[in-house]
Amino acid sequence: MKLNTNSNSYTILYACGVVVVVAFLLATVSQVLKPAITANERIDTKKQILSSLHLKPAQAEVEDVYASVVTSAIIVDTAGTVVDTTGGFEVKRKEISDSCLPVFTCQTNDATKYVLPMVGKGLWGGIWGYMAVNADCETVYGIYFGHESETAGLGALIATDDFANQFVGKRLTSADASHALSVVKNGSKKDDETTQCDGISGATLTGNGVSDMLQSTVAKYKNYLLNLKNNETK
């Protein structure tokens, strides 16, 4: 029987066939590429953690450098209790919560650093980062910021070294605990130089998002860092 290629039924069947074939091809490609995509995602996460420690190895060296620097990746809760001694790296950003807070213990420049993941919301989408805290559990050693869709030339500048380097040496909270690590509007007077950094001109809302993320991170890890500090002084 000769098909009527001008009929509506033929057009619908043809379109359905194309959709099925394309869907099958996409699913196949996705499965084939999944291991490589997963591996690249893990390497990218390790690069971000290392970046907070001022380490920027070549792509081929990331795994080795990470293995030589990161000595443990645990999970704690807001009470400061260790809930898992090995699973920190497997925690995705969306899984971070009061009961699931990864901590990466690292050794670099013959000193211990603690890297804490951060998650928050910028102007247009998610922002995140990693904060490396010195062994004193009070000051920032280094920091890394990332974003999904902040405005190029404005909010997106949080991902630059110039912005991140401001935080080096800043306190997590002021000595009298009246201020926490934060960003203030660029050019405005700082209430506390030990905890506050300049924001980016024209990106006040992104800066507010960074401040919220920093302060939320400090609050969530406060008890664990206090436990570490107390143990060091015993």
Side-chain angles (χ1 to χ4, degrees), residues 11 50 54 57 60 71 82 116 123 143 163 167 170 185 222 224:
T11 301
L50 293 174
H54 308 293
T71 59
V82 177
L116 316 176
L123 175 59
I143 206 162
F163 182 72
F167 294 86
K170 295 292 184 179
K185 187 175 181 180
K222 176 183 176 181
Y224 179 70

XYZ file of all heavy atoms in Angstrom, residues 11 50 54 57 60 71 82 116 123 143 163 167 170 185 222 224:
136
model
N 2.603 12.755 8.653
C 3.441 13.795 9.268
C 3.634 13.520 10.748
O 4.748 13.629 11.290
C 2.801 15.181 9.073
O 2.647 15.433 7.663
C 3.665 16.266 9.708
N 41.547 23.256 46.014
C 42.967 23.625 45.987
C 43.151 25.124 45.765
O 44.078 25.735 46.320
C 43.694 22.836 44.895
C 43.811 21.327 45.121
C 44.421 20.638 43.902
C 44.635 21.019 46.371
N 45.407 28.501 47.603
C 46.386 29.184 46.739
C 47.190 28.189 45.906
O 48.344 28.459 45.546
C 47.343 30.051 47.565
C 46.669 31.002 48.497
N 45.906 32.067 48.056
C 46.609 31.031 49.853
C 45.420 32.716 49.102
N 45.818 32.107 50.207
N 47.326 23.828 40.328
C 48.098 22.908 39.495
C 47.497 22.768 38.100
O 46.313 23.086 37.886
C 47.991 21.586 40.260
C 46.702 21.691 41.004
C 46.569 23.136 41.394
N 46.370 18.034 34.581
C 46.885 16.675 34.720
C 47.463 16.393 36.102
O 47.662 15.234 36.471
C 47.952 16.408 33.649
N 44.163 15.619 53.657
C 44.403 14.433 54.486
C 43.120 13.767 54.963
O 43.135 12.592 55.328
C 45.262 14.795 55.703
O 44.592 15.807 56.475
C 46.618 15.324 55.255
N 31.183 15.165 64.752
C 31.570 14.457 63.523
C 30.565 13.344 63.272
O 30.376 12.470 64.109
C 32.987 13.868 63.646
C 33.340 13.063 62.395
C 34.008 14.983 63.870
N 36.278 24.774 54.128
C 34.839 24.673 54.374
C 34.071 25.065 53.118
O 34.272 26.164 52.584
C 34.436 25.610 55.521
C 35.343 25.621 56.760
C 34.850 26.658 57.751
C 35.404 24.227 57.395
N 22.551 37.344 42.643
C 21.465 38.108 42.035
C 20.632 37.254 41.099
O 19.405 37.301 41.123
C 22.046 39.307 41.277
C 21.045 40.164 40.477
C 19.970 40.728 41.399
C 21.771 41.271 39.737
N 40.449 31.783 49.845
C 39.035 31.596 49.546
C 38.827 31.486 48.037
O 39.612 32.042 47.247
C 38.208 32.765 50.133
C 36.767 32.357 50.429
C 38.269 33.996 49.248
C 36.048 33.291 51.390
N 39.167 39.842 43.831
C 38.114 39.885 44.842
C 38.425 38.920 45.983
O 38.352 39.282 47.162
C 36.764 39.528 44.215
C 35.612 39.588 45.187
C 35.131 40.789 45.654
C 35.017 38.410 45.629
C 34.079 40.843 46.562
C 33.967 38.441 46.531
C 33.489 39.666 46.994
N 40.136 38.655 51.183
C 39.714 37.931 52.378
C 40.877 37.284 53.132
O 40.708 36.857 54.273
C 38.686 36.862 51.999
C 37.393 37.438 51.495
C 37.246 37.777 50.161
C 36.336 37.653 52.358
C 36.063 38.321 49.686
C 35.146 38.199 51.907
C 35.013 38.539 50.566
N 41.645 37.902 56.951
C 40.479 38.430 57.666
C 40.025 37.439 58.735
O 40.211 36.224 58.613
C 39.331 38.692 56.696
C 39.603 39.782 55.664
C 39.708 41.148 56.303
C 39.884 42.237 55.240
N 39.974 43.586 55.837
N 29.499 47.604 50.835
C 29.414 48.327 49.568
C 30.741 48.992 49.259
O 31.348 49.639 50.120
C 28.299 49.372 49.639
C 28.030 50.061 48.312
C 26.828 50.994 48.423
C 26.547 51.666 47.084
N 25.383 52.572 47.176
N 30.745 27.154 63.324
C 31.263 27.792 64.534
C 31.612 26.779 65.625
O 32.710 26.811 66.190
C 30.230 28.791 65.067
C 30.618 29.437 66.376
C 29.512 30.366 66.876
C 29.851 30.947 68.240
N 28.763 31.837 68.740
N 32.128 23.496 65.454
C 33.198 22.567 65.099
C 34.560 23.253 65.207
O 35.508 22.676 65.756
C 33.002 22.025 63.686
C 34.102 21.071 63.289
C 34.198 19.811 63.880
C 35.067 21.442 62.364
C 35.231 18.946 63.556
C 36.095 20.580 62.024
C 36.176 19.327 62.628
O 37.208 18.483 62.304
